[in-house]
């Protein structure tokens, strides 16, 4: 398929698989990442197996860096047809160390206190997560949509999370950022899918996939699984984590105007049933 697909965060656990799978259909894949070395490895692997891919350095929190990446993508492959916003972070210092309040938590207000609670989380760490996950998605859309508006068949796909729907414990900034991406997906579809803009905007909400982003939350240093992993599996009717490749069908569906040309503002959860299962 002749499409230029731009994927942010494509050096990472999920994005690298998205890049490889999209390249298999003959699409030209632009691999954007903060970590140029990781992006370069993914591009190299795709080219070695006959695909078309190139790596571009990009920090989604820096508009100038996104604009430079856009210029470079245009020169290398042409205008972006599909943008997948996959760059995202968790920050250990933006998480609480406890699932719920315990008496006395309000007294530990020093930010160097190892126990992180509502009362001593550092706002700048929360903002960092919001900046990458939400503002980074917004800014990438702002920059790449310049090449997409008014053309037939272009689309944007955001990556949200189960945390956008359920108030998952310990990750207030991550959950808020993904809820914001969910709302922004619908806002942007209202704005840009009209007869003039013609860009469809949808999202995929992954369930649980083991990647560098979340490895420490689900696997102990000795290789055994954490209690949080057990909670996830208990609430997942299919009884297992997902494989990154299992997200690709939903992405390709949204990317292909033949399959989803009248669909915008939607989210598909790829979660083994997690969202529809209360776990009791
Ligand atoms: N792994 C999961 O189970 C899961 C579940 C739901 C949602 N997600 C979302 O999927 C996306 C990808 O997650 P992953 O599991 O592949 O994580 P990952 O940590 O493996 O990959 C994230 C990539 O984003 C890049 N990145 C980080 N900050 C950046 C920035 N400022 N500019 C450009 N690139 C930047 C990193 O270098 C990394 O390559 C994230 O948005 C994440 O929130 C993941």
């Amino acid at each position: 398929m002749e499409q230029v697909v731009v994927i942010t965060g494509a050096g990472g656990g999920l994005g690298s698989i998205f890049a490889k799978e999209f390249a298999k259909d003959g699409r030209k894949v632009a691999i954007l990442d903060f970590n140029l070395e990781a992006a370069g490895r993914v591009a190299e692997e795709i080219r070695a197996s006959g695909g078309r891919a190139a790596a571009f350095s990009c920090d989604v929190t820096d508009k100038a860096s996104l604009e430079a990446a856009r210029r470079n993508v245009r020169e290398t492959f042409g205008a972006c047809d599909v943008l997948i916003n996959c760059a995202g972070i968790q920050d250990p210092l933006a998480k609480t160390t406890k699932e719920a309040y315990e008496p006395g938590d309000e007294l530990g207000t020093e930010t160097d206190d190892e126990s992180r609670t509502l009362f001593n989380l550092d706002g700048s760490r929360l903002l960092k997560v919001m900046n990458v996950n939400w503002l980074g998605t917004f800014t990438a859309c702002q920059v790449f949509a310049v090449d997409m508006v008014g053309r037939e068949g272009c689309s944007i796909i955001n990556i949200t999370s189960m945390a956008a729907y359920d108030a998952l414990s310990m990750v207030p900034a991550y959950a808020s950022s993904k809820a914001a991406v969910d709302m922004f997906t619908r806002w942007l579809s209202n704005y840009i899918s009209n007869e003039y803009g013609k860009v469809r905007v949808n999202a995929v909400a992954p369930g649980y996939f083991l990647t560098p982003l979340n490895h420490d939350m689900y696997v102990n240093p000795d290789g055994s699984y954490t209690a949080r992993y057990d909670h996830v599996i208990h609430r997942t009717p299919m009884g297992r984590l997902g494989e990154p490749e299992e997200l690709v069908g939903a992405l390709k569906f949204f990317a292909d105007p033949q399959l989803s040309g009248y669909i915008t503002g939607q989210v598909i959860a790829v979660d083994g049933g997690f969202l529809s299962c209360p776990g009791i």
Side-chain angles (χ1 to χ4, degrees):
M1 183 176 254
E2 273 301 319
Q3 274 183 333
V4 175
V5 181
V6 174
I7 308 176
T8 70
L14 298 185
S16 60
I17 300 295
F18 301 168
K20 288 174 199 171
E21 293 293 324
F22 270 90
K24 282 182 186 167
D25 298 341
R27 290 158 159 118
K28 299 177 207 163
V29 184
I31 296 163
L32 272 55
D33 207 291
F34 196 61
N35 180 344
L36 186 58
E37 213 178 301
R41 278 196 298 273
V42 178
E44 188 50 46
E45 208 180 307
I46 291 172
R47 287 194 297 265
S49 50
R52 294 180 289 182
F56 303 89
S57 167
C58 151
D59 177 352
V60 296
T61 66
D62 175 357
K63 190 173 180 195
S65 151
L66 277 160
E67 280 169 342
R70 172 184 160 242
R71 282 193 299 276
N72 293 334
V73 170
R74 278 187 70 100
E75 276 168 24
T76 310
F77 289 139
C80 170
D81 297 303
V82 177
L83 169 66
I84 302 178
N85 283 304
C86 189
I89 58 166
Q90 286 271 20
D91 178 351
L93 297 181
K95 293 182 198 167
T96 61
T97 48
K98 299 173 180 180
E99 294 195 344
Y101 171 76
E102 287 172 16
D105 281 356
E106 67 279 21
L107 303 174
T109 51
E110 295 298 322
T111 46
D112 60 358
D113 188 336
E114 282 190 7
S115 152
R116 289 184 304 282
T117 71
L118 166 70
F119 302 96
N120 68 353
L121 275 179
D122 178 348
S124 68
R125 306 304 296 209
L126 307 192
L127 264 185
K128 184 181 156 197
V129 174
M130 291 299 287
N131 271 337
V132 176
N133 295 2
W134 180 73
L135 192 57
T137 295
F138 179 96
T139 312
C141 292
Q142 191 177 46
V143 168
F144 280 96
V146 171
D147 284 341
M148 304 166 90
V149 281
R151 292 199 293 124
E152 298 294 337
C154 293
S155 74
I156 292 172
I157 307 167
N158 294 328
I159 305 296
T160 67
S161 164
M162 297 297 101
Y165 310 101
D166 282 347
L168 300 183
S169 62
M170 300 168 82
V171 291
Y174 183 79
S176 303
S177 73
K178 290 297 182 177
V181 172
D182 178 74
M183 179 53 74
F184 174 59
T185 300
R186 285 179 279 151
W187 183 89
L188 187 61
S189 73
N190 292 342
Y191 181 81
I192 210 172
S193 304
N194 65 6
E195 65 196 293
Y196 308 112
K198 299 185 183 195
V199 181
R200 293 178 303 106
V201 187
N202 294 291
V204 169
Y208 295 86
F209 298 78
L210 208 54
T211 70
L213 181 91
N214 55 22
H215 188 270
D216 293 349
M217 293 182 88
Y218 300 120
V219 183
N220 291 313
D222 66 5
S224 61
Y225 288 117
T226 63
R228 197 171 176 92
Y229 169 91
D230 291 337
H231 285 312
V232 166
I233 296 302
H234 176 67
R235 230 195 100 171
T236 303
M238 291 180 71
R240 63 173 176 83
L241 299 182
E243 296 296 330
E245 288 79 0
E246 292 177 306
L247 290 161
V248 174
L251 292 170
K252 286 192 176 175
F253 171 72
F254 282 142
D256 186 343
Q258 301 288 335
L259 300 178
S260 59
Y262 194 52
I263 299 179
T264 192
Q266 294 299 309
V267 187
I268 295 181
V270 181
D271 65 349
F274 182 90
L275 270 190
S276 47
C277 177
I280 51 166

